[in-house]
Amino acid sequence: VQLVESGGGLVQVGGSLRLSCAASGFTSDDYAIGWARQAPGKEGEGVSCISSADGSTYYADSVKGRFTISSDNAKNTVFLQMNNLKPEDTAVYYCAAVFGPGVSCVEGTPDFGSWGQGTQVTVSS
């Protein structure tokens, strides 16, 4: 399985970025793909998730109302639209996935088994 992120960068407070995650090398029709982030000196955080199995989505409280996850199933690509960015959103964002029947984002980000290489998002004040 390959997960390739793109779309990170430097943005000012209040700005927007859209991250993309292109997934390949899997055969399962059911999967959950999401985003986690890691900031220096902080614990990793599951940010958002979307499930093809049940259509569920999840957002961490810290990003609700600002971030939107979506998918283009035909292209096996998941997007994270990030609006009204704040300095505390600065982190390396990782795309992650788990495959198999019944995978869901109802209760948060699942135990992801596959990870991308990460993309840096920096929000300057």
Side-chain angles (χ1 to χ4, degrees):
V1 175
Q2 269 198 318
L3 302 172
V4 180
E5 303 105 330
S6 60
L10 173 65
V11 65
Q12 291 187 330
V13 169
S16 299
L17 284 173
R18 189 174 83 152
L19 304 183
S20 299
C21 174
S24 62
F26 65 94
T27 57
S28 176
D29 289 332
D30 292 344
Y31 53 84
I33 295 182
W35 298 87
R37 64 187 180 186
Q38 179 72 58
K42 296 184 179 179
E43 287 191 9
E45 178 185 23
V47 173
S48 185
C49 174
I50 187 167
S51 167
S52 72
D54 61 9
S56 58
T57 58
Y58 164 81
Y59 297 96
D61 287 343
S62 57
V63 306
K64 277 181 184 175
R66 302 187 297 122
F67 290 12
T68 303
I69 193 167
S70 61
S71 64
D72 182 338
N73 293 331
K75 296 182 179 180
N76 291 332
T77 301
V78 172
F79 306 97
L80 186 68
Q81 178 67 44
M82 307 186 294
N83 297 330
N84 190 20
L85 284 161
K86 304 175 180 181
E88 51 265 42
D89 294 319
T90 296
V92 178
Y93 284 70
Y94 297 91
C95 177
V98 60
F99 302 90
V103 291
S104 176
C105 301
V106 168
E107 296 183 359
T109 53
D111 290 330
F112 294 121
S114 300
W115 294 82
Q117 79 285 357
T119 186
Q120 177 71 45
V121 171
T122 302
V123 184
S124 64
S125 56

